[in-house]
Amino acid sequence: MRTALSLPTALVLLASTLSAQTLVVTPAAVRLGGNLRTQLLSGPANSPYVVYIDVGGGPVRALGVELFLDVSPALTLLDAGTLDQVGVALRNYAVPTRGWPPGAGIFFQAAVANPSAPNGMFDVTDGESAFTYISTAVLEEKFENPANAGFTGTYDRTATGRLLAGVVTRRSVTYVPQGAPFSQPLHNDLNPAGVRIQKVFRAVDLGANGEPEVLTGLWWEAFRGNPVSRDTLARMALDVSHSAVVPDFTIDPFSALPKFPNSGLSQAFANNPSQPAIRVFDGAYVIDSRNASNGFLPYPQLQREFVYDGTSSLLLDFLTYPSPTSSGVNGQQVYLMALSSPRPDARVVRSPSADPSKETLGNRFDNAQTGMVFDFARVFSTATSPWRAAPVASPDYHAPYPGWSLPPGTAIQFEFRGATSNSGAGATAWSSNIDIADGKPYLQYRVLMRAAIDGARPSLDSLVIPIN
């Protein structure tokens, strides 16, 4: 008899009896009315164990372990007992013929008592998953060892038992423009009289390599000749976008003028973004010299993520509202990229401004660039499957059932393509719609994974693709 458990009750049982090393549930897909053929639980001989099932794969951190269960109201004690003399328990479970909709996921995890475990009570197995289906056939993938199974990509190739997103990596690039340092501080976006200013930074300035990454922080270089004073700007908004503008500061050796004077920003603010901007900050900005590092001051902590594509220029659009109580003594260090001309424009400024949000045209524009630090996090990774043969002729593929575990801030998406051979002959284009592969006897899929800024990573235990 199955017993539904509340979270507190479940954790008490886990704490009092549990842990294990290996749990294998087969198959990954089971017909309604069929059997989950085998459950293998291995651990110390004669140890008490329990097995729980749930409707989602978590994860949930509790009692010092990671549970690949949602720990939802549907959490159910499936089995409890004692491992045999060799530390194994084998079970078969019948799946009901009704009451389980096709695609319903069953997520499993076991625990076996072990006083020597890090939490002093139990060890837990990795999570397992299976899905019900009514289709003619299925393709099912158990990610026991993705690297050995031929998966390519930037996922964590050291992980076994599930397909795990790559480790989050961070980088910080200090951009000191290769121009002449200007001898006076400029307010730029720190202007207490109100200002709208756009600044553009090329991919090469950002050390980009074509990989998408999340912008996590920005710093500006303080003018070298003045100390930084504490000050507050009442309201600063920052919009970030991609831009197709790539200023070319090359100087013609014959004329000593910029060789490509029209390669910079437009004087009309609306012409410079290539995509709609993302507002990453809106609020008061406190400038505090105690936060300085190597002559750079941090902008406020970003309130929203911006995903930089790693290829385009990055456009920063500051809207700083009038701050009558601000001292306005702080200035930024800028560099003149050409001394013979103000072109090409690397910044467009409108100031003073009573309402920067209403400004459409700059009244100053030049090639002055601010020294900056850009902080990025690379959170995206991929895994591409080998070509998989469909078990039926002229297959009609349907949306997959993913046995995933998604910590907050993470995501998994899929792309598919079909082909006429296992070498990819006649391959279709990639698509998020699996129907693009219909009729093709071979299917390949790509897993697009996004980790969280805090380092949490999504994973897949299994993937089931129904086929008619």
Side-chain angles (χ1 to χ4, degrees):
M1 178 179 179
R2 291 176 180 167
T3 305
L5 299 177
S6 67
L7 173 58
T9 303
L11 293 181
V12 167
L13 282 173
L14 283 170
S16 60
T17 56
L18 310 183
S19 176
Q21 282 70 50
T22 304
L23 174 66
V24 178
V25 175
T26 56
V30 58
R31 283 185 178 275
L32 290 176
N35 289 306
L36 289 169
R37 291 192 298 266
T38 308
Q39 181 180 350
L40 169 64
L41 179 66
S42 64
N46 303 313
S47 297
Y49 73 90
V50 293
V51 180
Y52 285 96
I53 60 173
D54 207 340
V55 294
V60 173
R61 190 80 184 172
L63 298 176
V65 297
E66 189 169 34
L67 302 178
F68 289 99
L69 304 168
D70 278 0
V71 193
S72 73
L75 183 72
T76 300
L77 176 63
L78 179 68
D79 188 25
T82 303
L83 300 179
D84 64 19
Q85 293 182 351
V86 294
V88 173
L90 300 173
R91 297 287 187 273
N92 288 298
Y93 302 106
V95 175
T97 58
R98 61 183 63 185
W100 290 68
I106 312 169
F107 293 80
F108 301 74
Q109 194 165 16
V112 176
N114 180 7
S116 300
N119 66 5
M121 297 174 287
F122 59 88
D123 295 314
V124 293
T125 64
D126 189 13
E128 287 280 291
S129 60
F131 292 86
T132 57
Y133 73 96
I134 58 172
S135 56
T136 303
V138 292
L139 276 175
E140 51 184 303
E141 196 87 59
K142 294 286 285 186
F143 298 101
E144 298 300 333
N145 193 322
N148 286 353
F151 282 79
T152 59
T154 55
Y155 66 96
D156 188 341
R157 299 178 66 87
T158 67
T160 57
R162 57 184 49 237
L163 181 68
L164 181 62
V167 175
V168 175
T169 59
R170 296 178 179 272
R171 72 183 187 96
S172 182
V173 56
T174 300
Y175 175 57
V176 177
Q178 298 302 300
F182 192 54
S183 59
Q184 298 294 323
L186 294 188
H187 274 133
N188 279 333
D189 41 86
L190 308 181
N191 195 331
V195 61
R196 182 176 184 184
I197 177 172
Q198 287 183 342
K199 306 177 186 181
V200 68
F201 299 90
R202 304 168 300 183
V204 66
D205 303 329
L206 305 173
N209 65 357
E211 291 186 36
E213 50 195 343
V214 176
L215 180 66
T216 59
L218 293 165
W219 302 62
W220 53 272
E221 185 178 9
F223 182 66
R224 297 174 183 177
N226 292 348
V228 174
S229 298
R230 184 179 176 87
D231 200 8
T232 299
L233 296 170
R235 182 186 176 193
M236 172 187 283
L238 173 57
D239 296 334
V240 182
S241 61
H242 294 106
S243 178
V245 176
V246 183
D248 188 333
F249 303 113
T250 303
I251 301 299
D252 187 302
F254 298 101
S255 67
L257 294 170
K259 193 171 183 178
F260 304 99
N262 298 320
S263 61
L265 294 170
S266 167
Q267 297 170 15
F269 292 116
N271 292 344
N272 295 319
S274 59
Q275 296 173 341
I278 300 296
R279 178 150 296 186
V280 298
F281 178 79
D282 193 339
Y285 175 28
V286 178
I287 301 170
D288 191 336
S289 62
R290 293 175 297 180
N291 297 326
S293 177
N294 297 320
F296 289 82
L297 275 294
Y299 283 105
Q301 183 175 353
L302 303 186
Q303 299 163 336
R304 188 176 176 187
E305 292 182 355
F306 177 82
V307 178
Y308 172 56
D309 64 11
T311 302
S312 303
S313 294
L314 189 67
L315 186 70
L316 305 182
D317 192 345
F318 292 91
L319 296 87
T320 303
Y321 291 76
S323 299
T325 61
S326 170
S327 67
V329 298
N330 295 305
Q332 297 177 344
Q333 179 69 57
V334 302
Y335 300 81
L336 303 183
M337 307 306 289
L339 296 178
S340 57
S341 168
R343 313 293 304 281
D345 299 330
R347 65 172 195 149
V348 179
V349 184
R350 183 74 185 195
S351 181
S353 175
D355 187 351
S357 66
K358 296 181 178 179
E359 304 295 358
T360 60
L361 295 172
N363 57 0
R364 295 197 304 279
F365 15 84
D366 53 43
N367 57 42
Q369 285 206 300
T370 311
M372 296 282 292
V373 174
F374 300 87
D375 294 330
F376 294 100
R378 288 182 173 160
V379 300
F380 300 97
S381 56
T382 64
T384 302
S385 75
W387 289 99
R388 300 303 193 197
V392 298
S394 300
D396 176 15
Y397 300 102
H398 295 272
Y401 306 146
W404 55 28
S405 179
L406 298 174
T410 70
I412 292 178
Q413 295 177 316
F414 301 95
E415 293 180 339
F416 308 90
R417 63 178 181 171
T420 56
S421 75
N422 62 2
S423 62
T428 68
W430 287 104
S431 174
S432 59
N433 187 343
I434 197 171
D435 291 339
I436 197 170
D438 284 350
K440 300 288 187 179
Y442 290 89
L443 178 73
Q444 187 177 46
Y445 60 89
R446 184 160 59 191
V447 186
L448 311 175
M449 296 171 282
R450 174 174 175 157
I453 294 296
D454 64 8
R457 295 184 282 167
S459 62
L460 275 171
D461 168 68
S462 65
L463 186 70
V464 173
I465 299 174
I467 302 173
N468 283 315

